[in-house]
Amino acid sequence: MTEELRPVLLWFSRHFNPQRFFILLGLVLFLVAWNRGIALLYGMVSLLMAILVVSYLFPRFNVRKLRVALPTRLQCHAGEMLDIDLQLFSRTPCQHIRVSAENLFPADAHHRPAFTPYVNGEASASLALMCSRRGDYILDRLLASSDFPFGIHTARLNIDCSPCRLLVYPKTFAIHELPGFNSHAHSFLGQRIINQPHSDEEYAGVREYRHGDNLKHIHWGASARHQELIVREFESYDQPAMLIILNCNQQDEYGEAPDSCFEYSIEIAASLMLFASRHGIAVELFAESKQGFHLSLAPGENVTEYHLGQFAQMKADGERDYWQHAAAICRRYHHIDTIITFSTQQPGHASLPGDKSHIDIRFDRDSFETRSLNTSPAKSLMSGNRVTYTVRWGDPLERLFNESQ
């Protein structure tokens, strides 16, 4: 019986609300009063109409003078709930105010609206957003609503706010061991260009200053000539290093965010940098998008909010052929012996030097296009000096990198 009534109940809940109920009730009472000539019913109809008019007009006046201030900058990791402290202002008293980001924040998977029972001058409230997707966002508009005083009608108003930059960092996972790199021995030894000289390093030249460089190694003479900061570089021969080359070519992007090949690449690359930071491994990372990114990590350097913020801004909007770009980067950083690449196909003939240790992250294109989940355990494949990780849509990445060795 319940299943038979379900379609009727769904239709009723979809098409019947308090406003329509009061309108229908008022119409019935008016017809009865008109037919019977009962003055009391006319009075009830007038009362219902007055309630409806107040219910429609008062909430609009309740929110029209409301203003909201946001923090200027916020950050969180994808998949986390972010609490945003709001400051609400109104020159006239406002009651029962809700503020949300409904349909105004693209990465919001689920949110909890901010609520304050009364605003007279200034009040504070907390808005919770579930940031489901990595990215660099500007939140400058919120939705304010109120159903005061009777809860019959809800007035909604989009409010322009002070812009808030919201950086959603990528998800990361723990990598305990990587072929060629572990906490006990380093079998892939590479040379490393850094700007922190030690006894076993030689002067290699100068370059432009990058965020995180040691200010002690600024070359002031060259900086004065070029009108920009220039730092000295030193070449290390005893530190392990990895060269990470992200694939930002838009033609190699399959699937939809947050479960696309590129989003998986970002999550893996960020996790590799965290692994390198823990194990004293130097990193050079390149992302050939329209904006272009180059991240460096010295041995023992921590992954900072700067690095994570750069990951948040990366996009798969590049046009250059990935393998040509990878080959050019390898020639430039020929002293680094371990290369990490991301692709949906095998390297072409113009690819990478054969004497390099190669960690090849290979994406199963069909699984990302069809969003088909494969229940068989994913494994890595080692052939000579190359290790291939095949990544399928829905694969648990932590298990792939830690249990498939």
Side-chain angles (χ1 to χ4, degrees):
M1 186 66 178
T2 305
E3 292 298 327
E4 295 176 355
L5 291 176
R6 185 181 298 275
V8 178
L9 295 174
L10 288 175
W11 181 91
F12 189 83
S13 62
R14 196 163 51 240
H15 295 90
F16 210 67
N17 52 41
Q19 300 98 302
R20 294 179 180 178
F21 171 77
F22 275 94
I23 292 173
L24 182 60
L25 179 60
L27 180 60
V28 170
L29 291 177
F30 175 76
L31 291 176
V32 173
W34 183 37
N35 184 50
R36 298 293 183 178
I38 304 175
L40 180 60
L41 293 181
Y42 282 114
M44 293 181 64
V45 172
S46 300
L47 177 61
L48 287 175
M49 293 302 104
I51 291 175
L52 284 173
V53 170
V54 172
S55 297
Y56 272 87
L57 294 181
F58 201 91
R60 295 179 183 273
F61 287 101
N62 203 29
V63 297
R64 68 189 182 96
K65 295 292 183 67
L66 187 68
R67 297 294 179 266
V68 181
L70 293 166
T72 57
R73 181 186 173 96
L74 293 168
Q75 55 275 330
C76 70
H77 284 270
E80 290 183 352
M81 184 71 79
L82 175 66
D83 290 321
I84 304 177
D85 294 326
L86 307 179
Q87 292 295 321
L88 286 71
F89 306 92
S90 179
R91 290 179 294 177
T92 58
C94 301
Q95 293 86 11
H96 286 244
I97 300 296
R98 286 181 175 82
V99 180
S100 70
E102 183 178 352
N103 301 324
L104 298 174
F105 180 56
D108 180 30
H110 174 73
H111 71 277
R112 185 180 69 244
F115 174 77
T116 180
Y118 188 74
V119 181
N120 186 13
E122 182 177 349
S124 59
S126 180
L127 170 66
L129 293 179
M130 173 61 78
C131 301
S132 63
R133 197 164 67 215
R134 173 199 65 87
D136 184 3
Y137 304 98
I138 297 294
L139 185 61
D140 58 0
R141 179 174 292 187
L142 293 172
L143 178 66
S145 62
S146 175
D147 58 3
F148 185 81
F150 301 120
I152 296 175
H153 173 71
T154 301
R156 293 177 173 85
L157 179 67
N158 286 330
I159 299 177
D160 292 327
C161 311
S162 54
C164 172
R165 187 184 184 189
L166 179 52
L167 285 174
V168 181
Y169 301 151
K171 295 178 182 178
T172 58
F173 58 91
I175 298 177
H176 304 300
E177 188 173 340
L178 198 64
F181 300 103
N182 56 59
S183 58
H184 304 294
H186 300 291
S187 59
F188 295 167
L189 294 182
Q191 303 166 14
R192 160 79 165 125
I193 296 290
I194 66 173
N195 74 324
Q196 299 179 358
H198 298 283
S199 59
D200 53 0
E201 293 161 357
E202 297 179 359
Y203 177 74
V206 296
R207 61 165 172 80
E208 295 178 358
Y209 173 84
R210 290 195 294 265
H211 180 85
D213 287 341
N214 194 329
L215 297 179
K216 293 181 180 179
H217 306 127
I218 293 178
H219 193 305
W220 294 110
S223 299
R225 289 193 300 272
H226 291 86
Q227 296 297 304
E228 62 178 343
L229 291 179
I230 302 295
V231 295
R232 297 181 179 89
E233 284 189 316
F234 298 84
E235 190 168 1
S236 171
Y237 293 91
D238 69 337
Q239 291 287 353
M242 63 173 67
L243 179 61
I244 303 175
I245 308 173
L246 278 168
N247 187 355
C248 298
N249 192 306
Q250 54 190 347
Q251 296 182 352
D252 292 334
E253 169 70 327
Y254 298 99
E256 296 182 0
D259 296 317
S260 65
C261 293
F262 185 68
E263 294 301 320
Y264 276 51
S265 299
I266 294 291
E267 184 176 345
I268 293 170
S271 301
L272 286 170
M273 286 197 76
L274 290 171
F275 169 83
S277 176
R278 291 194 306 270
H279 291 81
I281 302 169
V283 177
E284 296 287 349
L285 182 146
F286 287 87
E288 185 73 3
S289 59
K290 286 184 177 179
Q291 185 174 348
F293 294 89
H294 177 199
L295 300 180
S296 295
L297 198 69
E301 181 184 355
N302 291 327
V303 176
T304 65
E305 289 189 355
Y306 168 78
H307 298 103
L308 295 175
Q310 294 291 289
F311 279 118
Q313 298 176 61
M314 293 179 184
K315 296 180 180 179
D317 56 5
E319 298 178 354
R320 185 177 178 182
D321 179 80
Y322 174 68
W323 290 114
Q324 291 181 3
H325 168 62
I329 294 297
C330 289
R331 287 193 296 270
R332 179 179 173 186
Y333 288 84
H334 58 87
H335 50 276
I336 298 181
D337 285 340
T338 302
I339 308 163
I340 301 176
T341 59
F342 302 80
S343 70
T344 57
Q345 56 186 346
Q346 293 186 0
H349 60 84
S351 309
L352 313 176
D355 59 338
K356 302 288 185 183
S357 300
H358 184 194
I359 298 177
D360 183 16
I361 313 296
R362 192 82 54 79
F363 294 99
D364 185 342
R365 171 179 170 177
D366 293 337
S367 70
F368 281 89
E369 288 184 322
T370 60
R371 298 174 68 88
S372 56
L373 186 63
N374 194 325
T375 57
S376 60
K379 294 184 179 296
S380 62
L381 177 65
M382 181 173 289
S383 176
N385 62 351
R386 185 172 72 186
V387 180
T388 301
Y389 291 91
T390 301
V391 181
R392 303 164 302 193
W393 180 85
D395 276 346
L397 296 177
E398 184 170 0
R399 182 184 304 172
L400 170 64
F401 279 83
N402 292 311
E403 298 182 8
S404 62
Q405 305 293 336

